[in-house]
């Protein structure tokens, strides 16, 4: 969950409302390929519930990562318009918010303030993901550990940062989409 908190922390309440109103809540059955490596993606996904497994063809069926509630998926292809570098498959019945690329691209073009916040949120999200990958590979010299995990989902709420606002936004986000975890 930590990833979506980082993402939502950068957005305004109006931005979050726009994502909810524009996105489509989709139930995805277990075993479904959500994103296929090398196949263009026309949607940005926010994971609402369930578990996704990430793999790369060159590494066989080896699982590289698991993604849980609050993860943003398809963001790399959205940023650079290239086909995805990994396959993302549901490990269990899952629920996502699917935001169509054309509508998001139009919103980014029409609303520069939204675009600024959105791209900053993606940059921070991708930075966190890259740091995690570097650490996983054993190359990290960073002494700051990731937040503690509960059930595979990272959660940190402190009074001295804006995480509490992001938690509130995510709870509002889920409530508006009528999702109970």
């Amino acid at each position: 969950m930590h990833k979506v908190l980082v993402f939502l922390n950068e957005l305004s309440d109006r931005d979050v409302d726009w994502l909810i109103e524009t996105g489509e809540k989709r139930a995805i059955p277990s075993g479904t390929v959500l994103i296929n490596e090398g196949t263009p993606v026309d949607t940005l996904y926010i994971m609402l519930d369930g578990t996704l497994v990430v793999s790369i063809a060159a590494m066989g069926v080896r699982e590289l990562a698991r993604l849980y509630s609050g993860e943003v998926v398809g963001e790399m292809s959205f940023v650079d318009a290239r086909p995805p570098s990994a396959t993302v498959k549901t490990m269990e019945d899952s629920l996502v918010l699917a935001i169509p690329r054309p509508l998001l691209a139009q919103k980014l073009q029409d609303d520069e303030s939204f675009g600024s916040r959105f791209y900053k949120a993606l940059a921070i999200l991708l930075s966190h993901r890259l740091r995690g990958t570097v650490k996983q590979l054993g190359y990290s010299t960073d002494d700051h550990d990731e937040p503690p995990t509960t059930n595979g989902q990272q959660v940190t709420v402190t009074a001295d940062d804006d995480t509490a606002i992001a938690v509130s936004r995510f709870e509002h986000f889920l409530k508006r989409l009528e999702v109970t975890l």
Side-chain angles (χ1 to χ4, degrees):
M1 183 185 318
H2 178 61
K3 301 280 193 306
V4 80
L5 298 181
V6 168
F7 186 75
L8 292 177
N9 190 48
E10 297 302 320
L11 301 177
S12 72
D13 289 338
R14 284 182 39 197
D15 298 340
V16 172
D17 287 342
W18 183 88
L19 291 172
I20 292 168
E21 292 162 8
T22 304
E24 175 189 345
K25 191 168 61 168
R26 293 184 190 165
I28 312 292
S30 178
T32 301
V33 174
L34 189 62
I35 294 176
N36 198 6
E37 180 179 348
T39 303
V41 178
D42 65 349
T43 307
L44 181 80
Y45 299 98
I46 298 175
M47 187 73 178
L48 301 174
D49 191 28
T51 306
L52 301 175
V53 176
V54 180
S55 63
I56 296 175
M59 299 183 82
V61 293
R62 185 172 154 231
E63 178 182 307
L64 296 177
R66 286 189 184 195
L67 307 176
Y68 302 96
S69 175
E71 294 280 354
V72 178
V73 185
E75 76 290 346
M76 285 175 52
S77 293
F78 183 82
V79 169
D80 68 8
R82 295 177 57 195
S85 58
T87 294
V88 180
K89 182 178 177 179
T90 57
M91 186 173 172
E92 61 185 344
D93 289 348
S94 299
L95 187 63
V96 299
L97 181 67
I99 303 158
R101 179 185 186 91
L103 295 176
L104 183 53
Q106 187 64 50
K107 174 71 171 171
L108 291 166
Q109 183 177 341
D110 293 345
D111 186 342
E112 291 178 9
S113 295
F114 171 80
S116 175
R117 291 185 298 273
F118 181 82
Y119 280 120
K120 181 178 181 188
L122 280 185
I124 292 169
L125 178 75
L126 290 170
S127 175
H128 279 261
R129 197 167 282 163
L130 181 58
R131 287 179 193 276
T133 300
V134 169
K135 185 175 182 176
Q136 185 179 7
L137 293 172
Y139 295 112
S140 178
T141 58
D142 187 2
D143 291 335
H144 305 324
D145 287 290
E146 288 290 318
T149 53
T150 305
N151 230 6
Q153 298 181 21
Q154 299 173 339
V155 181
T156 304
V157 179
T158 59
D160 62 346
D161 66 63
D162 294 330
T163 307
I165 293 170
V167 169
S168 175
R169 279 195 185 119
F170 190 54
E171 289 170 351
H172 171 73
F173 190 80
L174 293 175
K175 185 176 180 179
R176 288 262 327 263
L177 290 167
E178 299 175 0
V179 175
T180 18
L181 300 179

